[in-house]
Amino acid sequence: MTVLEDRIEMADQDDELTLDDLFESLERTTPEGYKVEIVEGAIFMSPQRDTHWEIILDIVEQLRTKYPRQRVKSDVRVDYPGHLNGFASDVTLVAEDAAKSSKGLWSYQDVEFVAEVISKGTGPNDYGPKKTAYATAEVPVYLIADPYQGKCHLYTQPKGDDYTTETTVTFGTDVDLTHTHLGLTLKTHEFPRD
């Protein structure tokens, strides 16, 4: 067991609320059409916006040209390293041999790619604590699509709690992922701006 797994396991064993407790409670009270995430113990609910969904769908469709449906996820909970980090990333690609845990969750160790589309209310999480958690979890490729800036930020080569490489492209410019294990080019010319 790694230190990261041990920290998540310890949180589950303490008398404090666990991610499972929090999500179970939230499932009963969250209005339809809202996405719920827990970032460093703070609960965030946000409605799905049209621009947000169009970018997510575009990324998923492009991934589907190379990867089977079973590997591409959207808004599916994955627990990440750190205190109470249960993310429902906009797009997640899991490894070919990934399997759900006994709790029915995907493991962060099997995540090969994450994309987050910025929303006004939760954008600071994507650039801050979520980016830190993804790097700590050694997610090899993290993409932020920011419709307010009209830019994509690509983070690769995780080391510690950050990424050593960042590439920024304007919407309308291809995101070159051929140098990563994804081995594809992501087209952004249809990404809408907000």
Side-chain angles (χ1 to χ4, degrees), residues 18-29 38 77:
T18 65
L19 282 171
D20 290 336
D21 294 335
L22 290 168
F23 276 108
E24 186 177 311
S25 176
L26 290 166
E27 285 175 6
R28 293 189 301 267
T29 60
I38 302 172
R77 175 182 160 196

Side-chain angles (χ1 to χ4, degrees), residues 57-72 92-96 112-113 141 175-186:
L57 185 58
D58 199 341
I59 294 169
V60 167
E61 287 175 340
Q62 290 185 63
L63 287 174
R64 286 281 296 121
T65 64
K66 184 170 181 178
Y67 298 101
R69 180 181 331 259
Q70 299 87 336
R71 291 186 59 193
V72 182
T92 302
L93 177 70
V94 297
E96 186 173 351
E112 296 184 340
F113 168 80
V141 182
V175 179
D176 182 6
L177 298 168
T178 58
H179 64 286
T180 72
H181 68 282
L182 293 173
L184 55 84
T185 299
L186 186 68

